[in-house]
Each structure stands twice: as structure tokens, then as C-alpha cells.
Amino acid sequence: MRNLSVARLSAGTQTINHLPSLLVSTPDTISEQQWKTNTGHCIQGCSRLRTIDETTMLLQTLVGTLRLLAKRWLNLTSELKVLDATL
């Protein structure tokens, strides 16, 4: 069980580490809006990102990836809470 917990924490850490590197690649309007000193606020903001039809494929991909990474972190966090309660 401990190994499972460590693996999930590691996956969450990797997800958090990817977000800033992707935010640097986004246009200033998105990165300034989503870049928060509080990780939880950054995750919440990125999980609510949406693209509009008029954007480029690159921007759609960046926004989609940010949203997916944020949702992954949220899912991992909730799974860890369940696992911690079980342990």
C-alpha cells in the first residue's frame, strides 16, 4: 500500500512540474491569467480552461494539455485522500 501511495505522489509531482513549463509556452494572456503562486489556484484555473474555435491548433493543444494535466492532478489528489483514509 505504501508503494502505491508513493507512486501516486510521484505522479502528482510530475504533473505539477509540467504545468509551469507549458504555461511558459502559452500566449501571455493565458499564462498571466493562469500563473498563480498558489498551486491549488493554478490547478483550478487550468482545469477550467477552454479553447475557442478561432485559435490555432497549437494553442488548442496547449490549452487542452493544461486542462488534462490539471484534471489529472485533481483526480490523483482525490484518490490519495481515499487511499489515506483506507490506510
Side-chain angles (χ1 to χ4, degrees), residues 62-80:
L62 282 169
V63 168
T65 303
L66 284 168
R67 188 175 58 247
L68 288 172
L69 282 171
K71 288 183 177 185
R72 176 184 170 143
W73 188 85
L74 291 170
N75 288 334
L76 287 169
T77 301
S78 67
E79 288 175 11
L80 272 175

Side-chain angles (χ1 to χ4, degrees), residues 34-86:
Q34 300 306 323
W35 189 270
K36 310 278 193 265
T37 55
N38 181 310
T39 303
H41 293 158
C42 184
I43 294 291
Q44 290 295 330
C46 288
S47 71
R48 292 188 298 264
L49 281 173
R50 297 286 178 258
T51 58
I52 54 175
D53 294 334
E54 301 157 6
T55 58
T56 65
M57 182 62 79
L58 176 61
L59 184 57
Q60 289 176 1
T61 303
L62 282 169
V63 168
T65 303
L66 284 168
R67 188 175 58 247
L68 288 172
L69 282 171
K71 288 183 177 185
R72 176 184 170 143
W73 188 85
L74 291 170
N75 288 334
L76 287 169
T77 301
S78 67
E79 288 175 11
L80 272 175
K81 288 178 184 177
V82 170
L83 184 61
D84 287 343
T86 303

Side-chain angles (χ1 to χ4, degrees), residues 5-21:
S5 179
V6 170
R8 288 179 196 258
L9 280 172
S10 176
T13 301
Q14 289 175 357
T15 301
I16 291 294
N17 291 340
H18 282 74
L19 281 175
S21 62

